[in-house]
Amino acid sequence: MVASGGRFGRVLAFAFLSAALVAAGCQTAGDSGRSTLFGDSAPLTPAEQQMRNDADVFNETVFGGAVAGMAMGGLFCAMSLLLGSNQNNMAVCATAIGVGAALGAIDGYMVATRQEAARRQVREIDVVTEDIEQSNAKLRKLVASSQKVVEQNRERINEVTLKVAQNQARAEELTLEQARLDDNIAVMSGTLENLREERDGYVEVAGELASQGQDTTRLRAQLVEMNRQIAALEQERDALENINRASKIG
């Protein structure tokens, strides 16, 4: 009876640990840093909605997702144990996934990459390079939609500011447009934080692969492109901040 209770306690503890790791991994997800200043109920322009759709791709980084997935697998394993599944097999499964979940994000990503490379019978460097190429393609779309948002927000704020000055609109309308700007800035800033995390992960992976003697030339070229796109998104975020600051001073 004591042994059974001890086993139950260890399994339950493992389940809570796995759930905690999943929760930690999901903290980068959510709403791309969207603030509550503008509010979910307020209508978004098509450009603003598109920017959010493009930003959603980066809510959870490649590296955070790898670890969170292992943790979720560990949770399911533990719950199966509690429900009376084959204990020997499930115990091995739980231990393996639990160890994987306890690894750092980079180690977890490398484990997943190694498995994918073996499945497809390609090199690990090829899998990693494909990952970052796909991220860069999506990032270019995000930069393009962000540029449209900046252009439209500039036009809207200038128009409302002029109308308020001519007593053709209430000051509350300008406040609402400023809140719109704040919200779009928050989306961009939150996404930039995730992008930097993903970029740093790829830099570390590139270093590890290089230390193994693999040619990382193509991968590092994609890192240069990622840095360029991140800088472009930062420029759009800064442009919105300047517009917002000027509207409040004026």
Side-chain angles (χ1 to χ4, degrees):
M1 196 63 186
V2 174
S4 176
R7 180 180 66 80
F8 182 91
R10 289 193 298 274
V11 171
L12 192 59
F14 178 77
F16 281 124
L17 173 61
S18 299
L21 285 166
V22 172
C26 291
Q27 285 179 354
T28 56
D31 56 327
S32 302
R34 175 162 187 171
S35 73
T36 58
L37 292 174
F38 189 42
D40 290 333
S41 61
L44 297 172
T45 67
E48 288 170 335
Q49 186 59 60
Q50 184 61 54
M51 183 184 73
R52 282 159 176 75
N53 292 343
D54 294 337
D56 281 344
V57 176
F58 301 101
N59 276 346
E60 183 175 295
T61 68
V62 170
F63 305 96
V67 176
M70 290 180 183
M72 182 63 80
L75 177 59
F76 289 151
C77 242
M79 294 307 296
S80 295
L81 269 171
L82 292 176
L83 295 174
S85 297
N86 185 301
Q87 294 182 4
N88 291 331
N89 292 338
M90 293 305 296
V92 172
C93 170
T95 301
I97 296 179
V99 170
L103 293 171
I106 303 302
D107 291 329
Y109 175 75
M110 290 306 298
V111 168
T113 298
R114 200 168 296 120
Q115 293 172 344
E116 177 67 7
R119 184 185 68 80
R120 293 169 49 191
Q121 296 184 336
V122 297
R123 300 176 304 168
E124 292 173 33
I125 187 70
D126 295 329
V127 175
V128 175
T129 304
E130 286 177 11
D131 282 348
I132 192 172
E133 285 175 342
Q134 291 173 7
S135 290
N136 279 337
K138 294 169 183 175
L139 181 49
R140 284 189 288 271
K141 287 184 59 180
L142 173 58
V143 171
S145 59
S146 298
Q147 289 170 341
K148 291 182 181 179
V149 167
V150 172
E151 293 171 6
Q152 291 183 2
N153 280 187
R154 181 182 289 111
E155 292 175 0
R156 291 176 68 102
I157 204 80
N158 287 342
E159 181 180 355
V160 174
T161 299
L162 180 60
K163 286 183 177 181
V164 170
Q166 297 175 345
N167 294 320
Q168 296 177 2
R170 296 180 303 170
E172 288 80 1
E173 293 183 44
L174 179 58
T175 300
L176 184 61
E177 288 303 319
Q178 290 168 338
R180 179 190 294 274
L181 285 170
D182 285 331
D183 202 42
N184 289 329
I185 290 168
V187 171
M188 290 185 188
S189 295
T191 305
L192 280 166
E193 183 177 345
N194 292 338
L195 283 167
R196 294 187 194 104
E197 180 182 336
E198 185 160 320
R199 185 266 321 276
D200 292 347
Y202 279 124
V203 168
E204 190 169 340
V205 167
E208 183 172 335
L209 292 173
S211 70
Q212 298 172 7
Q214 299 195 46
D215 183 3
T216 59
T217 303
R218 184 176 154 211
L219 174 57
R220 292 192 183 280
Q222 289 299 318
L223 279 170
V224 171
E225 173 64 13
M226 179 170 276
N227 276 325
R228 185 181 298 118
Q229 295 303 322
I230 289 175
L233 185 59
E234 287 174 337
Q235 183 175 346
E236 299 306 321
R237 190 273 315 277
D238 293 347
L240 276 188
E241 289 182 336
N242 290 334
I243 295 169
N244 200 16
R245 191 178 304 113
S247 73
K248 290 176 180 177
I249 293 175

